[in-house]
Each structure stands twice: as structure tokens, then as C-alpha cells.
Amino acid sequence: MTRAYLLLVIAVLFEGLGTTSLQASQQFTRFWPSVGVVLGFGAAFFFLMQVLKIMPLGVTYALWSGLGICLTVFLGWLVFNQKVDVPAFLGLSMIVGGIVVINLFSSTATH
């Protein structure tokens, strides 16, 4: 199971690269950020497929999307100076709480 989580973290990091590059590509008008989109999302889906060999689809997608949302908000703040207000932090906290509940209390996190 540890392998699944490692692969999932790698997938989320590549998704963060792809999403950040998408913003930086300025609608695919900048070459290198556009390459980052293709490579980032390509690698993200490759690693996501590896996770799906170990974990069920629903749990995998919930974790992947939840962690990806949190990472994307952080990267938007860090790279693009996008503001995050208190309601956004509250919502992100709920997402993280859901991830914790799934992993600590759900028996569906494994096959």
C-alpha cells in the first residue's frame, strides 16, 4: 500500500506541474510552459494508472483530486501571487479532512 501512496504523490506532483504550466502557457502561446502541460499531465496520468492497479478507482480519484486541488491552490499562491481568503482555507481544510477520514476510517482504501 505504501507503494500506491508514493505513486499517488508522484501523480499529484506532476498534475501540479501540468496545471501550473497551463496557467504559465498563456493559452499555449508560450512554448516551454506548453511543453510542461503535456509532460506534466502525461506523467500524472501514467502514475495515476499505476495507482489504479493497487487502489480502487473512487478512492484513488478522491485522493488524487483532493490533493491536487490543495497543491494547485498553493502553487497559484506561490508562483502567480494569487490570493487565498479565509473561506478558501476553510474549504481546503474540509478537503484535507475528507482525505484523512477516507484513509483512517474507510475500508475501501485497499482492494
Side-chain angles (χ1 to χ4, degrees), residues 5 10 15 18 32 35 37 42-43 54-55 66 68-69 79-80 90 104:
Y5 286 112
I10 293 169
E15 181 198 10
W32 289 113
V35 170
V37 172
I54 304 165
M55 294 175 63
I69 289 167
V79 176
F80 302 110
L90 180 61
L104 291 180

Side-chain angles (χ1 to χ4, degrees), residues 4-84:
Y5 286 112
L6 175 63
L7 293 171
L8 185 61
V9 167
I10 293 169
V12 169
L13 292 174
F14 274 114
E15 181 198 10
L17 170 68
T19 305
T20 304
S21 297
L22 187 61
Q23 174 78 32
S25 76
Q26 297 177 0
Q27 293 74 42
F28 294 104
T29 60
R30 298 177 62 212
F31 180 75
W32 289 113
S34 298
V35 170
V37 172
V38 174
L39 294 178
F41 283 122
F45 283 115
F46 172 79
F47 285 103
L48 184 63
M49 286 188 304
Q50 304 311 306
V51 176
L52 289 173
K53 293 177 183 178
I54 304 165
M55 294 175 63
L57 174 63
V59 172
T60 299
Y61 190 74
L63 296 174
W64 182 60
S65 60
L67 293 171
I69 289 167
C70 293
L71 178 62
T72 301
V73 169
F74 175 73
L75 290 172
W77 171 78
L78 183 68
V79 176
F80 302 110
N81 200 31
Q82 296 174 345
K83 304 298 178 208
V84 183

